[in-house]
Amino acid sequence: MADIIQLLPDHVANQIAAGEVVQRPASVVKELLENAIDAGATTIKLVIKDAGKTLVQVIDNGKGMSVTDARLSFERHATSKIKTADDLFQLNTKGFRGEALASIAAIAHVELKTKQEHEDVGTCIEIEGSKVNKQEVVVTPKGTSISVKNLFYNIPARRNFLKSNTVETRHIIDEFHRVALAHSNISFVMFHNGSETFNLPESNYRQRIVNIFGTKTNEKLVPVDEDTEVLKISGFVGKPEFAKKTRGEQFFFVNNRFIKSAYLNHAIGSAFEGLLKDGAHASYFLNLTVNPQTIDINIHPTKTEIKFDDEHTLYAILRSAVKHSLGQFNIAPVLDFDRDANLDTPYSYQQKGTPSVEVDRSFNPFKEEKQSIGTASTSYKKAPASNWESLYVGLESKGTQTQQDFSEVHFESSSKNESIFENENQVEQKQTTYQFHNKYIVSTIKSGMLLIDQHRAHQRVLYEDFLKNMTVKEAMSQQLLFPLQLHFSPSEIEIINQLKTDLEHTGFIFQTIKGELLEIAGVPVSVPESEVSIILEQLISDVENEVPDSNFSATDLLAKSLSKSLAIKAGQSLTLIEQEHLVNSLFACKEPNVSPTNRTTFVTMTVDELDKKFI
């Protein structure tokens, strides 16, 4: 039998490696930014076009590469970070596997320009699909500029799996945030389609957080600082009252590398226990410094997950440090009473003691009653009750007059009161719905009964109402007496700008959208003013994470998000009229069977099915 095992060509092996390293444009951004940091850059510029599908360019002022290094950097497993296997457990750099540039060059058009400081000229290399087309001398500034164009041009099947530009841009911004937060001593600038999205100057860690997430973030931060032999913790957690319903502001950095850890996240949640509302998530920006020998970084292709040598100890230290900070800055309640300074003893009276009070210890009012009234030592005398008959003089005549007066009084409201009770009795007799556990509505039908999920049913009703309003563009709006001022990060403001027209069709009236400030002068009739902030946060989260593809309707997404936020929740008690109105509104919808997220809104149970339960 002929041999069937063969070595793969380099370009095929590179494409397989690219499947692990490069999942989307954000993966390219991450790898190139980390390479720039490892090169010792103090200023890094990121340029993207069409959410990175057309262009991802990173320009840095690092140490650059020589002609030989520039050519070798695109070879598989070529790296300057490790030389032996033991170096894998002494890593203090970002990239180390030597597959990033080789994988990127296998699925895109790559142009590299680099120059070292002591050199007069630099090197330019152009590669298409792992094939070097050109390598020549070029005049370029100190550092490296690498451009990745037409990602997945030779793998159209992979390109079809990319999401819409909005979603891909969100992923790129997330990676940009992670790298920028881990290195506040480096200046970062980001351009998207020719406009400047972020300009982050060199600063301290707190100022870097504020520059990314908005000036209002400064008042939300509580510092955390703990230094032990095992672990050093520094950074900030958010105050509980500013907790959001999304996890967008949760960042763990281990040795300046962003990681995801459900175990450590649980430690933060445990520290905030009892301080957060239901469904809210704490914000945190924490840097953990550990011995590189106690962690294993190379367990995940994207290196966002690492393995700790002693997770239980880290859990305990992290939980205690956060809990201590919340208590130290009076965020968490403590077992103490508030002391009122007004009740303190004045300083000049502190040495004078407590004034004495003279009392007659022999005084007993019950004992004095038995003594004679004429005794001179009596200090308590009972009032005589000899004139008690005078209290009732003339009462008989007054009672007769009163009786005559009342005989002429007519109770006009008596008949009305009777009719009110009669109507209420009639309503109770005609009741056709019943609320079960404040979650389901039971209604009778000819063949049996309906069991309706009130939350999903209300979602369907609101969803179709919002779709109709946005299509017809005749939504009702209620004006606010004072404009509502909300603060969002620059990236969130950009999302609201994209949805502004559709939001206005639902009834929102925007007065000002400038910088990080959003002023709302009117809201839809069904939206309470106190819920506007929560609704917009939920909407932004849905836009960032739930748009499946470029053909998805933004109007449909907006209607789904608003209906999900405004629908009555499980546990909310409804009156009989509200129950009946919800049932009638549900069955007036075009698709009453399912919620906007395709979940069942009601189930039916016939009399026969009920009878079988008792067999």
Side-chain angles (χ1 to χ4, degrees):
M1 184 176 179
D3 297 334
I4 60 174
I5 297 177
Q6 59 183 355
L7 292 175
L8 288 174
D10 287 341
H11 71 279
V12 177
N14 285 339
Q15 287 188 5
I16 294 173
E20 295 182 352
V21 178
V22 184
Q23 299 175 356
R24 56 186 357 134
S27 306
V28 177
V29 171
K30 175 181 181 294
E31 297 291 347
L32 297 185
L33 289 177
E34 289 181 349
N35 284 345
I37 292 170
D38 287 340
T42 58
T43 301
I44 299 175
K45 182 185 295 185
L46 171 64
V47 181
I48 61 174
K49 289 184 180 180
D50 299 330
K53 299 173 184 176
T54 302
L55 172 67
V56 174
Q57 183 179 15
V58 173
I59 305 169
D60 67 71
N61 64 345
K63 57 188 177 183
M65 291 181 284
S66 65
V67 177
T68 305
D69 287 345
R71 181 64 184 85
L72 282 175
S73 65
F74 290 98
E75 297 296 329
R76 292 192 68 205
H77 305 303
T79 179
S80 62
K81 312 298 175 16
I82 58 175
K83 291 181 173 59
T84 64
D86 293 336
D87 292 339
L88 288 172
F89 300 95
Q90 293 286 347
L91 289 170
N92 293 303
T93 55
K94 304 292 184 183
F96 59 88
R97 298 192 308 168
E99 290 187 359
L101 291 182
S103 300
I104 294 170
I107 54 174
H109 299 160
V110 178
E111 181 185 68
L112 171 70
K113 293 181 181 179
T114 183
K115 183 178 83 73
Q116 294 178 315
E117 186 174 9
H118 61 273
E119 297 288 341
D120 295 328
V121 292
T123 303
C124 176
I125 298 178
E126 292 183 5
I127 299 179
E128 293 182 8
S130 297
K131 181 181 178 182
V132 179
N133 289 341
K134 182 173 66 174
Q135 180 171 358
E136 61 184 11
V137 176
V138 68
V139 176
T140 184
K142 172 210 167 187
T144 302
S145 170
I146 181 166
S147 301
V148 178
K149 304 175 184 177
N150 305 323
L151 196 64
F152 299 124
Y153 81 99
N154 54 352
I155 314 179
R158 287 292 303 275
R159 193 176 180 89
N160 291 337
F161 278 95
L162 295 180
K163 306 298 183 184
S164 67
N165 285 355
T166 303
V167 176
E168 296 299 342
T169 302
R170 179 70 249 171
H171 285 290
I172 290 174
I173 291 176
D174 285 343
E175 292 293 350
F176 181 80
H177 285 173
R178 294 166 183 174
V179 175
L181 283 171
H183 301 276
S184 59
N185 59 331
I186 299 176
S187 173
F188 289 89
V189 182
M190 176 178 169
F191 292 89
H192 183 210
N193 290 338
S195 62
E196 184 179 272
T197 306
F198 289 97
N199 191 341
L200 309 175
E202 180 182 350
S203 61
N204 58 31
Y205 190 49
R206 187 182 194 118
Q207 190 61 43
R208 176 55 57 87
I209 296 172
V210 171
N211 288 339
I212 292 177
F213 295 101
T215 53
K216 282 291 179 179
T217 310
N218 191 33
E219 64 187 53
K220 306 176 185 178
L221 301 178
V222 178
V224 179
D225 194 5
E226 189 69 37
D227 194 355
T228 66
E229 295 180 357
V230 180
L231 172 69
K232 180 180 179 181
I233 305 173
S234 63
F236 301 89
V237 295
K239 295 180 181 179
E241 60 264 33
F242 297 107
K244 295 185 176 181
K245 291 187 176 293
T246 59
R247 300 178 182 270
E249 296 181 359
Q250 295 184 343
F251 295 89
F252 274 125
F253 300 98
V254 175
N255 295 351
N256 291 332
R257 182 191 300 275
F258 173 80
I259 66 155
K260 297 178 182 177
S261 174
Y263 188 68
L264 296 183
N265 180 70
H266 188 274
I268 302 293
S270 179
F272 275 88
E273 187 176 4
L275 300 176
L276 299 176
K277 298 178 182 178
D278 292 339
H281 302 284
S283 300
Y284 53 81
F285 311 87
L286 296 176
N287 297 300
L288 313 181
T289 304
V290 298
N291 187 342
Q293 294 182 345
T294 62
I295 58 176
D296 187 1
I297 300 171
N298 199 25
I299 64 170
H300 193 272
T302 60
K303 297 166 286 186
T304 55
E305 297 178 12
I306 64 176
K307 190 174 182 179
F308 294 96
D309 188 20
D310 187 2
E311 280 190 330
H312 298 290
T313 302
L314 300 184
Y315 182 100
I317 295 174
L318 181 60
R319 178 179 177 273
S320 299
V322 174
K323 212 171 183 65
H324 173 71
S325 292
L326 293 175
Q328 182 181 6
F329 291 93
N330 295 325
I331 304 301
V334 293
L335 295 176
D336 197 2
F337 296 100
D338 293 334
R339 181 175 60 85
D340 190 351
N342 295 326
L343 300 180
D344 291 347
T345 304
Y347 182 77
S348 58
Y349 286 91
Q350 286 183 359
Q351 305 300 328
K352 295 185 178 181
T354 306
S356 60
V357 178
E358 297 293 338
V359 296
D360 184 3
R361 299 185 181 277
S362 63
F363 173 72
N364 188 342
F366 301 102
K367 184 177 180 181
E368 294 296 337
E369 287 181 3
K370 298 179 181 179
Q371 297 180 3
S372 60
I373 297 175
T375 305
S377 62
T378 302
S379 59
Y380 174 81
K381 293 183 180 180
K382 189 174 181 180
S386 58
N387 297 329
W388 61 271
E389 296 91 345
S390 62
L391 297 173
Y392 297 92
V393 175
L395 187 60
E396 184 177 355
S397 61
K398 290 181 180 179
T400 305
Q401 181 65 31
T402 304
Q403 188 175 3
Q404 293 175 356
D405 294 342
F406 276 106
S407 65
E408 299 176 359
V409 175
H410 299 282
F411 295 96
E412 297 179 359
S413 62
S414 60
S415 61
K416 292 184 178 179
N417 288 340
E418 291 176 2
S419 66
I420 289 175
F421 288 111
E422 288 175 3
N423 290 338
E424 289 183 357
N425 292 332
Q426 291 174 5
V427 171
E428 290 178 0
Q429 292 173 0
K430 294 180 180 179
Q431 180 173 347
T432 58
T433 61
Y434 176 77
Q435 192 175 21
F436 181 66
H437 280 264
N438 287 343
K439 185 176 182 181
Y440 300 103
I441 297 175
V442 181
S443 179
T444 58
I445 55 176
K446 187 175 181 180
S447 60
M449 70 174 185
L450 286 173
L451 197 61
I452 303 171
D453 187 311
Q454 65 184 37
H455 176 62
R456 295 180 184 176
H458 198 209
Q459 275 192 54
R460 164 54 63 178
V461 174
L462 292 176
Y463 170 71
E464 294 198 4
D465 284 344
F466 282 126
L467 272 185
K468 178 182 177 182
N469 291 337
M470 284 185 278
T471 304
V472 181
K473 303 178 182 179
E474 293 180 355
M476 297 294 293
S477 178
Q478 57 181 352
Q479 297 288 328
L480 300 178
L481 183 60
F482 300 102
L484 185 63
Q485 294 188 349
L486 302 175
H487 294 268
F488 294 95
S489 66
S491 57
E492 291 172 338
I493 290 290
E494 185 179 350
I495 293 175
I496 292 175
N497 269 321
Q498 295 173 2
L499 300 174
K500 179 183 176 183
T501 303
D502 289 329
L503 283 170
E504 288 174 342
H505 293 161
T506 64
F508 283 95
I509 300 176
F510 296 99
Q511 185 168 311
T512 305
I513 302 180
K514 184 178 181 182
E516 301 170 2
L517 177 64
L518 177 67
E519 284 191 356
I520 299 176
V523 295
V525 176
S526 58
V527 177
E529 184 178 347
S530 59
E531 298 287 326
V532 173
S533 169
I534 300 173
I535 291 170
L536 291 179
E537 286 180 7
Q538 183 67 53
L539 175 62
I540 291 169
S541 173
D542 291 342
V543 172
E544 291 174 349
N545 304 315
E546 295 185 5
V547 182
D549 53 46
S550 57
N551 297 324
F552 196 79
S553 170
T555 303
D556 186 71
L557 173 67
L558 180 57
K560 284 182 179 178
S561 182
L562 290 175
S563 62
K564 181 170 62 176
S565 300
L566 294 172
I568 55 176
K569 304 297 188 291
Q572 184 173 340
S573 178
L574 301 178
T575 65
L576 182 61
I577 297 176
E578 290 172 339
Q579 295 171 29
E580 293 179 348
H581 178 70
L582 180 57
V583 174
N584 294 334
S585 299
L586 174 64
F587 289 101
C589 293
K590 294 180 179 179
E591 295 184 19
N593 298 334
V594 293
S595 70
T597 53
N598 289 325
R599 296 186 177 184
T600 304
T601 55
F602 66 88
V603 293
T604 60
M605 186 170 287
T606 63
V607 177
D608 293 339
E609 290 174 341
L610 284 172
D611 290 341
K612 291 179 182 178
K613 299 289 183 183
F614 294 95
I615 295 176

